[in-house]
Amino acid sequence: MKRQPLRLAILEATRILEQAGVASPRNDAELIAAHVLGVERGRLPLVPLVDPSVVDAIGQLVTQRAKRVPLQHLIGWAALGDITVAVGSGVFVPRPETELLLEWGLDVLKGREFPVVVDLCTGSGALALAVANARPDAVVYAVDNDAHALAWARHNADARAEAGDTQIRLYSGDVTDPTVFAELDGLVDLVLCNPPYVPEGTAVPPEVADYDPPQAVFASGGGLAVIRHVVTAAARLLRPGGGVAIEHDDTHGSAVPGLLQARRVLTDVRDHPDLTGRPRFVTARRG
């Protein structure tokens, strides 16, 4: 069987994904090809020719992706910071825009030794594990109220610990509970949260509607119900000078900063855009 140019297989995959309405067709085509070949995406140019079986395997995954199965479900992982976490059915897939929230949080920790960090609504554990990877001296707590998400988070935490990262402290709990992490009140350097925040009834892409757990995506009260509790928790958990960062819907550019500004103990409230320039996360400091 004659070997075929990988470049042509990727071009065809890109065309199919483009027609299917996939948001990032070239990116997804290349990541699928890299997954099938077992190489990093950046090394694809070093593989000029591939066997027909490789082209077939790429084609099968592209067909699934064209049906709007999430790319991360097909390749089995999502990236955040310098790590990847396993994802699949029953857990929210981390998004690239959360990178900016992570960067802000790591900036807050600069110059602090043995910081205490809390990740509320941890899901796959991605944020907590990315912090633990970047800051081995940090004591990182993470909590979620969903058993499926916690199973994924436990799997990911064990994998990162095996890779040499500091183990995170993972708990089952609910951010709406006023006593969650009460033993940490006034001791936390950084609170991070990517909560459910999409207003109920909002139209979302098939990858979200059909695959992300709805309780990890949608929130009542115009998308603000969970965020209100997160703000309350942050206000009591943070130590003076500590920081909080909360991701939010792009329609919340004034509503969520307003919730933080209403807390007298929180200062320097700022909203930040995502990679496309839309309002995406809010930050504040404990005065």
Side-chain angles (χ1 to χ4, degrees):
M1 296 282 280
K2 195 176 169 197
R3 305 191 88 202
Q4 301 173 27
L6 176 62
R7 186 177 55 83
L8 294 182
I10 290 173
L11 282 173
E12 174 64 4
T14 303
R15 184 189 67 76
I16 291 167
L17 296 179
E18 213 163 32
Q19 285 186 334
V22 169
S24 48
R26 178 77 189 204
N27 171 77
D28 290 21
E30 289 185 357
L31 283 170
I32 286 171
H35 171 70
V36 169
L37 287 162
V39 301
E40 289 182 16
R41 181 184 177 186
R43 299 187 71 79
L44 288 175
L46 304 178
V47 189
L49 297 172
V50 292
D51 292 330
S53 61
V54 170
V55 176
D56 288 346
I58 291 170
Q60 285 173 22
L61 288 176
V62 167
T63 299
Q64 290 296 304
R65 184 70 188 99
K67 293 175 182 171
R68 307 302 288 274
V69 177
L71 170 73
Q72 297 86 349
H73 284 213
L74 296 173
I75 62 177
W77 56 268
L80 190 65
D82 290 334
I83 67 164
T84 61
V85 292
V87 291
S89 177
V91 72
F92 180 81
V93 173
R95 307 295 202 261
E97 46 263 36
T98 307
E99 295 278 356
L100 299 175
L101 181 147
L102 172 65
E103 280 174 27
W104 185 91
L106 291 175
D107 273 348
V108 168
L109 298 183
K110 280 180 181 165
R112 296 171 189 242
E113 287 191 333
F114 308 106
V116 178
V117 180
V118 169
D119 176 23
L120 302 170
C121 311
T122 195
S124 65
L127 263 174
L129 293 168
V131 171
N133 172 264
R135 288 297 302 265
D137 63 326
V139 183
V140 182
Y141 295 81
V143 66
D144 206 285
N145 65 354
D146 183 84
H148 291 294
L150 283 168
W152 281 102
R154 171 53 57 208
H155 169 82
N156 288 322
D158 289 346
R160 291 310 315 165
E162 273 180 41
D165 288 358
T166 306
Q167 183 72 264
I168 65 168
R169 303 177 184 200
L170 189 60
Y171 293 87
S172 173
D174 199 313
V175 73
T176 64
D177 174 2
T179 66
V180 73
F181 291 143
E183 68 279 11
L184 299 176
D185 282 0
L187 300 175
V188 177
D189 294 280
L190 177 65
V191 173
L192 299 175
C193 186
N194 184 7
Y197 57 65
V198 177
E200 289 175 332
T202 302
V204 293
E207 290 89 341
V208 179
D210 300 337
Y211 295 94
D212 274 331
Q215 69 274 14
V217 176
F218 299 100
S220 59
L224 298 172
V226 179
I227 289 177
R228 289 182 191 279
H229 291 286
V230 173
V231 173
T232 300
R236 72 175 164 78
L237 288 169
L238 287 175
R239 65 170 39 176
V244 56
I246 306 167
E247 196 166 306
H248 61 67
D249 193 64
D250 55 16
T251 61
H252 291 154
S254 56
V256 175
L259 292 176
L260 290 153
Q261 284 158 347
R263 302 278 166 162
R264 259 182 266 171
V265 297
L266 297 177
T267 62
D268 194 22
V269 177
R270 300 181 191 196
D271 205 63
H272 305 256
D274 64 15
L275 301 164
T276 63
R278 292 177 294 197
R280 184 58 64 202
F281 71 100
V282 65
T283 61
R285 297 286 195 136
R286 174 77 155 83

